Amino acid sequence: MELKMTIAVASGKGGTGKTTVSANLARAAAEAGYQAGYLDCDVEEPNGHLFLKPRIERRYPVTIPVPVVDEQKCTGCGACGEICQFSAILSINKTVLTFDKMCHGCGGCVLVCPVGALTEKGREIGVVEEGQAGGIAFLHGRLNVGEAMSPPLIRAVRSAGRNSEGLVLVDVSPGTSCPVITALRGADYVLLVTEPTPFGLHDLGLAIDMLKELGIPHGVVVNRSDPEFDHFARDFCREKEVRILVEIPDDRRVAEAYSRGELAYDALPEYRDRFRELLVSLEKEARR
């Protein structure tokens, strides 16, 4: 089947089930005959590989440029420190100090140095791994422990997957911060995964407002749905004028499968229809 579309799976808060939805949907798409890809952009704690179990075929580091000072040329003018908005380079008593982990790699200090005393070197922040997982093209990033900035690595993952064909699923980190917006760029549609709880719906509202500001079409998946509380999610989405595409029941068996590193799609055949239903809904959204 042909469906060229990039779907980002996001959430207002952590623990709602983004990976559950994105990994199961990728498996459902592959079995339905779609050319499917899975990009795990939750680079601080990627876990899609625990369920899709890919065969990694390629691995390479990702670096950002940081300044290197040639003390023989440096005059201590301080222009580099003045332009840096992150205090990653400072001139004190004609001595230039650099703080690599605070550097955002913009290159501004190199451009303003009047004597060419600054060059750049690459500092590794993480790795990108590529492979195959049962007919699914797999990509994820792993941020090095202690790194503060994930957007450069997220951009590397998205760039590596830019030529992917068919249905591409992007597993996004939770929240509405810079890493999330970086991962969302270029998405055709966003699935917002929520739970029908006050905290879940509050943070869902923040995510909906973000997507409206970005102008990206979106719909909602209610995970761990419960007949006693589902009306809250339905009323909330009606008020926000956002469609609920599918509801996934609060089922202990799904959690047990998850704890074993198994997809609900594989462990519980009755759940296959849920994700096939979601695929059909996405096809309809793509034609809008």
Side-chain angles (χ1 to χ4, degrees):
M1 295 185 184
E2 291 188 7
L3 176 62
K4 186 171 177 56
M5 193 176 187
T6 298
I7 310 287
V9 183
S11 65
K13 64 182 286 292
T16 59
K18 289 184 297 79
T19 299
T20 297
V21 171
S22 56
N24 279 282
L25 189 56
R27 178 61 54 81
E31 290 210 354
Y34 293 94
Q35 193 170 356
Y38 176 89
L39 278 60
D40 195 340
C41 287
D42 190 358
V43 298
E44 294 183 54
E45 45 186 352
N47 62 351
H49 63 285
L50 299 176
F51 307 97
L52 293 174
K53 299 175 176 57
R55 182 182 70 259
I56 299 300
E57 300 170 341
R58 184 174 177 233
R59 180 182 291 106
Y60 52 90
V62 174
T63 63
I64 62 170
V66 295
V68 177
V69 183
D70 184 338
E71 296 180 357
Q72 299 299 316
K73 292 183 178 180
C74 180
T75 63
C77 69
C80 54
E82 290 175 7
I83 197 174
C84 184
Q85 301 298 301
F86 307 100
S87 299
I89 185 167
L90 298 173
S91 179
I92 302 175
N93 294 328
K94 295 191 175 183
T95 298
V96 176
L97 304 176
T98 60
F99 304 92
D100 288 357
K101 289 204 171 185
M102 297 174 67
C103 180
H104 283 53
C106 71
C109 57
V110 177
L111 291 174
V112 300
C113 181
V115 295
L118 293 175
T119 55
E120 291 177 319
K121 66 177 181 180
R123 183 177 71 81
E124 184 176 329
I125 61 169
V127 297
V128 172
E129 296 180 325
E130 304 178 13
Q132 292 290 323
I136 301 167
F138 180 92
L139 266 165
H140 74 178
R142 292 179 183 268
L143 191 69
N144 289 346
V145 174
E147 289 294 335
M149 291 187 300
S150 59
L153 181 55
I154 293 170
R155 284 193 290 270
V157 175
R158 289 301 314 271
S159 178
R162 69 184 180 276
N163 294 323
S164 299
E165 298 292 334
L167 181 62
V168 179
L169 292 153
V170 182
D171 192 342
V172 180
S173 55
T176 56
S177 60
C178 291
V180 175
I181 293 173
T182 301
L184 290 175
R185 293 195 184 281
D188 300 305
Y189 193 85
V190 178
L191 284 176
L192 289 172
V193 184
T194 190
E195 53 193 21
T197 64
F199 284 125
L201 296 178
H202 172 271
D203 291 346
L204 172 64
L206 297 177
I208 290 172
D209 292 344
M210 171 189 67
L211 291 173
K212 286 182 176 178
E213 190 70 24
L214 293 173
I216 306 176
H218 49 280
V220 170
V221 174
V222 179
N223 191 32
R224 292 192 288 272
S225 68
D226 187 316
E228 186 177 350
F229 302 106
D230 285 350
H231 65 280
F232 292 118
R234 292 169 188 156
D235 292 344
F236 185 88
C237 290
R238 190 179 304 113
E239 180 182 336
K240 290 285 188 178
E241 299 180 332
V242 178
R243 293 182 61 224
I244 295 176
L245 301 184
V246 72
E247 296 177 358
I248 302 172
D250 186 11
D251 188 336
R252 181 184 175 89
R253 295 176 303 160
V254 174
E256 290 173 347
Y258 190 92
S259 71
R260 297 190 299 268
E262 298 176 3
L263 295 173
Y265 189 90
D266 297 328
L268 303 167
E270 64 267 34
Y271 276 84
R272 295 182 178 183
D273 288 340
R274 299 271 178 176
F275 292 100
R276 289 168 180 161
E277 175 188 340
L278 183 53
L279 272 175
V280 171
S281 296
L282 290 172
E283 285 182 328
K284 292 177 180 177
E285 294 295 323
R287 289 195 290 265
R288 283 190 165 193

